[in-house]
Amino acid sequence: MATKLERMAGSKHRFLLNMGPQHPSTHGVLRVVLEMDGEYAMELDPVLGYGHRMHEKMAEVRPTSGFYPNTARMDYLGAILFSHGYVGLLERMAGVEVPERAEYIRVITAELNRISSHLVGIGAYVLDLGAFTPILYAFDDREKILDILEAITGSRLTYCYFRAGGVSRDIDDTFIRRTREFIDRMRNRMPMYHDLVTDNIIFLKRTKEIGLIDRDMAIRYGLTGPVLRGSGIAYDVRKSEPYSIYDRFDFEIPTGENGDSFDRYLVRMEEIVQSLRIIEQALDALPDGPVMAKTKKIKLPAGECNYTVEAARGSLSYYLVGDGSDTPYRLKIRVPSYANLSPLPELCRGILLSDLVTAMGSLDLVIPEIDR
Amino acid sequence: MSGYFSDLITGSKSLLVGLGVTLKALVSPVVTVQYPREKIDVSPAFRGHIDLMKDETTGTHRCIVCLSCMKACPCQCITVEGEKQEGVKGKVLTLFTLDFTKCSLCGLCVESCKPHAIDFSDEYELAGFSREEFFYDLLKRVKERA
Amino acid sequence: MDTMQMTLYDVLRMVIAFLLVITIVFINALVMGYLERKVAAKIQRRWGPMEVGLQGWLQMVLDGVKIIAKQLIVPRDADRVVFRVAPLLSFTPVVLPFLVLPFAKNLVGRDINLGLIFIIAVSSINVLSIFVAGWASNNKYSLFGAVRSVSQNIAYEIPILLSLLSVVLITHTYSMQGIVAAQGTVWFCLVQPVACLIYLVSATAETNRAPFDLPEAESELTAGYHTEYSGFGFSLFMIAEYANMFIVCAVATVLFFGGWHGPFSGEYLGVLWFLLKVFLLMLTMIWVRWTYPRVRFDQLMNLAWKYLIPFSLVNLLLTALIVKCI
Ligand code: SF4
Ligand code: SF4
């Protein structure tokens, strides 16, 4: 009996290549089935769901506070940003005022988290291109962030730090000193990354003009985050509909010109610099006061509510339908990586296998976030 | 054709610069530690598994069996039981177990505990051969420490 | 080689040389494996192997023991015989060139008058073993690696030969000893800098080392042609890779860096100079590997056909003209 592969191969001289879920460059558990013509990928089919843990369903069976730890386990690289969206939603819905200091702390930790996420994203991306060393330098810097955050949140990766109404623990002078040290350190390290990676001719040749996403295509697929900004659209939730206190800070939205893999990489690098600026301003303006709102017990009214934040990979929305009880009737999470994955089949039509890895890496996907 | 030689020159330069970066790293000090031999101090805020705290004045735990930690835990990994005893106000703790395999280290239990009877331990070297090794009897642990 | 004059002494000499070579190949793999890990670690600001022996120098030995003890897994649909033969096949071409490498003035397996050609000819068998390995594994990734390796090797054989020819034009001999002898005063890397550079780049590609490690590009092809190999089969490929590095670096040393020439080289002591130069070159290859990303396949070909081959042709032509005029 002819296998599927043989039937396909027939006259077209194409064959199927299964990439993942355990392939070095599918980051975690994405599986893509490729129809290859020699080294060229002709069709691509992403297969999702290997990391499904039914987070949305879990939200429906427990009190709202019970979902805090879950937020950290979707995008494990940007856990604080994901919690930010969730607590923001609860506060908007229940009408809780968050103390000033707590908002500043949230912004500082969230931006630190964004930097650490981008560092991993960039490091892993360059690793996909075959350079082993930059990821370890990136991890060296990221380690500093993890240390800073560990001292305040108690964990290194899956932070459960934000609470509806504030944060679970106040920051201290050590935190401020270390964060300032980190800002200086990171600024000094940026030229090194540019020397080692950005200017490298092999890197330029591998990423320029590869995985082109133009403005139309970016909008058509609903892309967000660095992937969208790489295509030249300056959309950032922090600017377009400022949540928390982001309207108080002065920062720019870096954008790319061509929408190729290189631009997306550069946008991430530039965002690190901008995040450093935000952190610096927030540290300068940090007010005194409580870090937790007085009303500790939050009551959710019946009705629906949406809250959108800018996570490390794009805009993240929590949409909650409440029935007046303690537990949500339904919680829908719009994760950025899912939309960011969707242009992959179109992106990869007729490109080399190596370019496919480049293009896929530049989307900076976190698969557990898609599967959730 | 115009890009032919400029590519060659800028390209070679960028490659040399890259080599310079790694050469500098080669002679810079190492940043990692040899883990089992050297250890980094655990930060005081570190969240290990929870533990019953020993009260210095009474020499025992402070739990009043209010069960709010059990209710707050999103993972249902805490089991607390108490019973009425003669001559004691309130309940007396008879069982406090933690199923650490399920704990997500969220800290909600610690926050919900009014008398501050539980806190995080700073143990991080937790590896075991079986699931059962992570079913902690916290009451026994606090007694052992006493 | 003039077989008529082969005496018993020569035969004995060959046998001893052969045994020595095998030892060298294995020791080289151990030393290089250790150096590679150590240098990579230091570049990445880690410690690298530290546990067994001082600075972990025994690590590779123990790894070798471990890897030999492992089960040899042959995939169900693989071509069993060819699958097993491929690693052995990769071993032959790396042993033979050692026989003509001049380690010192009087330390050479056999100095044949076509030494250079012999090395080039023998080491191009290597690509066959990679192709066979990839083909026999019956794995699509392996096949990709194998096919890449073949076209890569064919493309890079040309600039290698052309750049070596420029040297031969000056020395008028293919004998390795002869070439070394011609560099008593000045090394050919100064006389022929372009050829030297072209050779070094092409040699890196020829040995499938990063940034030209396309046949085993692990972020694309998991492990390329040796994806399916485990245990000793895998380690033979690794040993062959390091031996190949040694050979190309040794050829570079002989042709461009003065071979065993150096102060106090004498009859035999030149071997120290020779090894020093070879290892410095190999360390550079390691350093390069841990710095750059991998090139793409068409870029690799572009580099060969658009840059290396034209440049080496021009260089050859100029050399020929100059030699003719002088
Ligand atoms: S830390 Fe969270 S999951 Fe763990 S026992 Fe406490 S409440 Fe439960
Ligand atoms: S919340 Fe505190 S006092 Fe109440 S049962 Fe838990 S540990 Fe005991």
Side-chain angles (χ1 to χ4, degrees), chain B residues 52 62-70 78 80 93 96 109 112-118:
Chain B
L52 280 167
R62 287 188 289 249
C63 178
I64 52 168
V65 203
C66 66
L67 304 190
S68 55
C69 56
M70 206 168 137
I78 305 178
V80 187
L93 188 64
F96 197 120
C109 52
S112 70
C113 181
K114 292 266 151 44
H116 196 66
I118 43 180

Side-chain angles (χ1 to χ4, degrees), chain A residues 251-270:
Chain A
F251 64 99
E252 280 143 32
I253 309 177
T255 52
E257 280 160 24
N258 309 319
D260 53 15
S261 303
F262 180 72
D263 281 354
R264 294 195 274 277
Y265 158 83
L266 217 54
V267 164
R268 283 192 193 101
M269 287 302 265
E270 194 50 38

Side-chain angles (χ1 to χ4, degrees), chain C residues 203-279:
Chain C
T204 319
E206 180 82 2
T207 46
N208 300 332
R209 293 282 301 182
F212 307 111
D213 58 343
L214 292 151
E216 43 193 297
E218 77 291 314
S219 62
E220 295 153 27
L221 303 181
T222 55
Y225 63 90
H226 56 61
T227 305
E228 296 287 359
Y229 281 91
S230 60
F232 205 60
F234 169 76
S235 67
L236 275 184
F237 277 121
M238 291 323 278
I239 293 172
E241 178 182 329
Y242 286 127
N244 251 327
M245 270 173 78
F246 189 94
I247 291 164
V248 296
C249 291
V251 171
T253 309
V254 167
L255 273 100
F256 298 107
F257 297 99
W260 39 259
H261 279 301
F264 317 111
S265 53
E267 296 272 286
Y268 294 102
L269 274 182
V271 68
L272 295 180
W273 282 108
F274 182 80
L275 287 180
L276 179 73
K277 290 171 189 174
V278 171
F279 271 90

Side-chain angles (χ1 to χ4, degrees), chain A residues 57-126:
Chain A
K57 189 74 194 165
M58 276 157 98
E60 294 170 20
V61 295
R62 55 183 59 183
T64 47
S65 66
F67 196 65
Y68 293 144
N70 293 55
T71 56
R73 280 153 182 84
M74 283 182 275
D75 180 356
Y76 47 80
L77 295 176
I80 287 193
L81 298 155
F82 265 60
S83 327
H84 202 168
Y86 184 64
V87 295
L89 171 85
L90 296 183
E91 284 152 9
R92 178 176 285 175
M93 199 154 181
V96 179
E97 270 303 309
V98 184
E100 282 279 287
R101 188 177 170 83
E103 289 282 24
Y104 275 92
I105 295 175
R106 279 185 185 178
V107 167
I108 295 168
T109 47
E111 292 307 315
L112 280 174
N113 199 205
R114 189 187 311 277
I115 296 175
S116 80
S117 169
H118 279 343
L119 280 173
V120 180
I122 290 165
Y125 180 44
V126 187

Side-chain angles (χ1 to χ4, degrees), chain A residues 5 16-19 23-25 38-39 128-130 132-133 136-137 200 202 205-206 210 354-355, chain C residues 43-46 140-141 144 148 211 218-222 289-299:
Chain A
L5 188 138
L16 286 181
L17 185 70
N18 180 42
M19 225 171 145
H23 186 279
S25 60
E39 279 243 13
D128 279 350
L129 297 179
F132 296 84
T133 306
L136 283 133
Y137 295 165
N200 188 299
I202 303 177
K205 292 264 173 200
R206 285 286 312 263
I210 301 302
S354 321
D355 288 343
Chain C
I43 281 181
Q44 296 166 350
R45 309 189 62 184
R46 316 180 268 118
K140 290 166 192 169
Y141 290 111
F144 270 133
R148 282 179 176 194
E218 77 291 314
S219 62
E220 295 153 27
L221 303 181
T222 55
R289 170 173 181 188
W290 297 99
T291 306
Y292 299 141
R294 184 180 307 114
V295 300
R296 203 174 59 212
F297 195 69
D298 52 329
Q299 291 161 358

Side-chain angles (χ1 to χ4, degrees), chain A residues 289-355:
Chain A
V291 293
M292 195 71 198
K294 289 274 159 4
T295 49
K296 251 205 144 173
K297 188 82 190 154
I298 55 159
K299 281 211 69 69
L300 290 185
E304 36 197 272
C305 184
N306 181 62
Y307 196 82
T308 308
V309 296
E310 182 74 21
R313 282 160 195 78
S315 94
L316 161 78
S317 292
Y318 283 91
Y319 179 69
L320 192 148
V321 180
D323 52 7
S325 73
D326 196 16
T327 53
Y329 172 71
R330 173 83 169 94
L331 181 69
K332 161 78 186 138
I333 307 159
R334 187 265 183 209
V335 289
S337 283
Y338 188 67
N340 290 357
L341 170 77
S342 57
L344 197 62
E346 186 178 330
L347 213 55
C348 295
R349 201 151 295 148
I351 66 175
L352 281 167
L353 184 64
S354 321
D355 288 343

